[in-house]
């Protein structure tokens, strides 16, 4: 709703690509031990829209919805694998496994969870859709 005018200035923001999706986080009291596993918690997801270049943090309108958060994401190194078709969970899992294997075999280490990037509107036929799995990485010394 934010990009379609659901903001205080009622500005429409041109649709951008990619749109990314990652499992939503939840605040939990600190415990030990700490372990990490991939996957979503329930049906909650964080959806991110990349804003067009002409907008800055200073010029983006304030969201009407308090659950919409504007934040600048610093540059980072990511490994990606592109795939076409509908980004169904089984396709995402298979491509994530492929990318994790590539990362391990090429001297990198994952520094965060996988994200899915979608590049097409929902009405684009499945076989014509472009998607990516992105995993932030760092070079292993």
């Amino acid at each position: 709703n934010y990009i379609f005018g659901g903001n205080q200035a009622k500005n429409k923001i041109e649709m951008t690509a990619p749109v990314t999706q990652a499992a939503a986080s939840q605040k939990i009291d600190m415990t030990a031990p700490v372990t990490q596993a991939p996957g979503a918690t329930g049906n909650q997801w964080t959806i991110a829209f990349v804003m067009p270049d002409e907008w800055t943090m200073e010029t983006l309108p304030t969201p009407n919805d308090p659950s919409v958060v504007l934040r600048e994401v610093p540059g980072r190194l990511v490994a990606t694998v592109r795939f076409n078709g509908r980004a169904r969970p089984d396709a995402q899992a298979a491509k994530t496994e492929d990318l994790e294997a590539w990362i391990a075999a090429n001297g990198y280490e994952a520094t965060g969870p996988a994200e899915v990037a979608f590049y097409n509107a929902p009405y684009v036929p499945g076989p014509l859709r472009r998607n990516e799995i992105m995993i932030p990485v760092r070079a292993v010394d």
Side-chain angles (χ1 to χ4, degrees):
N1 188 30
Y2 173 77
I3 64 172
F4 296 114
N7 55 67
Q8 290 183 7
K10 300 196 183 330
N11 287 342
K12 289 187 178 182
I13 299 172
E14 185 176 328
M15 187 63 180
T16 62
V19 173
T20 63
Q21 177 175 306
S25 62
Q26 295 180 331
K27 287 187 178 182
I28 300 174
D29 291 337
M30 185 64 186
T31 61
V34 175
T35 62
Q36 182 176 342
T41 301
N43 290 324
Q44 296 183 352
W45 294 91
T46 298
I47 307 297
F49 293 87
V50 177
M51 294 295 109
D53 287 344
E54 63 264 20
W55 295 92
T56 67
M57 290 300 292
E58 294 75 29
T59 62
L60 281 167
T62 303
N64 291 337
D65 182 342
S67 70
V68 174
V69 177
L70 302 179
R71 65 183 173 96
E72 189 167 354
V73 177
R76 61 188 176 152
L77 180 64
V78 295
T80 64
V81 62
R82 178 180 174 172
F83 64 103
N84 293 332
R86 296 196 184 275
R88 293 193 167 102
D90 57 335
Q92 292 178 32
K95 292 299 179 181
T96 298
E97 281 185 28
D98 291 348
L99 187 55
E100 289 170 339
W102 184 92
I103 289 168
N106 286 278
Y108 293 94
E109 176 179 82
T111 60
E115 295 177 42
V116 185
F118 304 95
Y119 286 86
N120 301 102
Y123 55 79
V124 172
L128 301 177
R129 292 185 185 184
R130 174 185 169 199
N131 311 291
E132 292 178 343
I133 300 294
M134 304 184 309
I135 299 177
V137 296
R138 71 174 182 87
V140 177
D141 297 328

